Amino acid sequence: MKESDTISVLVCVHSRDHEHDMLLQRALESLVRQSYASFETVVVLDECWEDTKGLVQSYASVLDIRIFEKPHKQGLAVAKNFGLQRCSGDWIAYLDADDQWMDCKLDVHRQWLIDHPEIDFCGTGAWDLIDGAIVPNCFSVTQYITHDEIVARLPQENVLCHGSMMIRRISLQSVGNYSTERSCLGREDWELWKRAVAAGFRFGKMPERIYVYSLGTSVPR
């Protein structure tokens, strides 16, 4: 990453009710709190109920936010590809609609990528949020950090938390973004990593836990 590179944060949401809107609000609040604030937010409303759009629009005064609607849900990969086509940043950062970023996430992630300009796909350590308690996820902070460590394990296990990723947009475009094949349903990210490795792109992971993954709150996609 170069100092001058721009960042798009992609949020895809399928909200069916007030409860899911509150999770989305929590996610957007974590963007408002970012210590590094120079980014655009692209929100894809993937067949959401009537109140969700108004909630997202209420953040227009505090976030550089753009909203795009898909009236019919066709799967998470389709929604992400739809959103990627509308992102303008040199880098794509992700925030799942029921998850959160730590306040320093974008700041320290961006600086790490500036310090490691060879990296194209970069994840971070993560916390799990379970019944209101935040606990370390299943990977230690020393596991699967380098490109070689990640690549050696990927055939057996997805060792990267998708929501924590920042990815060079041109690299995503080069490998054709997310596969929409039914055989990839539920593992679209893992399949993408494998294609990117085969294409010669470089992976890395920050050991710091700066992403919060919410368990038990996902919706069928």
Side-chain angles (χ1 to χ4, degrees), residues 44-109:
V44 175
L45 303 179
D46 191 18
E47 195 179 325
C48 292
W49 79 312
E50 58 188 15
D51 287 2
T52 308
K53 185 175 182 179
L55 169 65
V56 179
Q57 287 174 328
S58 72
Y59 283 85
S61 62
V62 289
L63 290 172
D64 176 9
I65 198 164
R66 294 190 293 140
I67 305 167
F68 300 94
E69 297 183 77
K70 283 183 75 281
H72 302 295
K73 183 165 66 73
Q74 298 170 285
L76 187 56
V78 174
K80 288 190 183 298
N81 288 341
F82 177 87
L84 287 171
Q85 292 170 0
R86 288 151 179 83
C87 290
S88 64
D90 300 303
W91 288 79
I92 307 299
Y94 295 90
L95 175 59
D96 290 349
D98 56 340
D99 294 342
Q100 303 167 72
W101 283 0
M102 304 298 283
D103 296 358
C104 64
K105 199 269 188 189
L106 199 55
D107 197 357
V108 298
H109 205 169

Side-chain angles (χ1 to χ4, degrees), residues 13-59:
V13 56
H14 170 57
S15 181
R16 304 174 298 186
D17 50 36
H18 179 73
E19 180 180 354
H20 288 94
D21 276 1
M22 292 302 96
L23 294 172
L24 174 61
Q25 183 173 15
R26 186 180 67 183
L28 295 175
E29 286 292 335
S30 78
L31 294 183
V32 174
R33 295 193 302 268
Q34 290 302 298
S35 54
Y36 180 82
S38 182
F39 60 92
E40 72 162 0
T41 302
V42 174
V43 178
V44 175
L45 303 179
D46 191 18
E47 195 179 325
C48 292
W49 79 312
E50 58 188 15
D51 287 2
T52 308
K53 185 175 182 179
L55 169 65
V56 179
Q57 287 174 328
S58 72
Y59 283 85

Side-chain angles (χ1 to χ4, degrees), residues 174-187:
S174 177
V175 296
N177 295 332
Y178 294 86
S179 173
T180 57
E181 295 292 328
R182 290 193 62 82
S183 60
C184 297
L185 189 65
R187 55 187 185 91

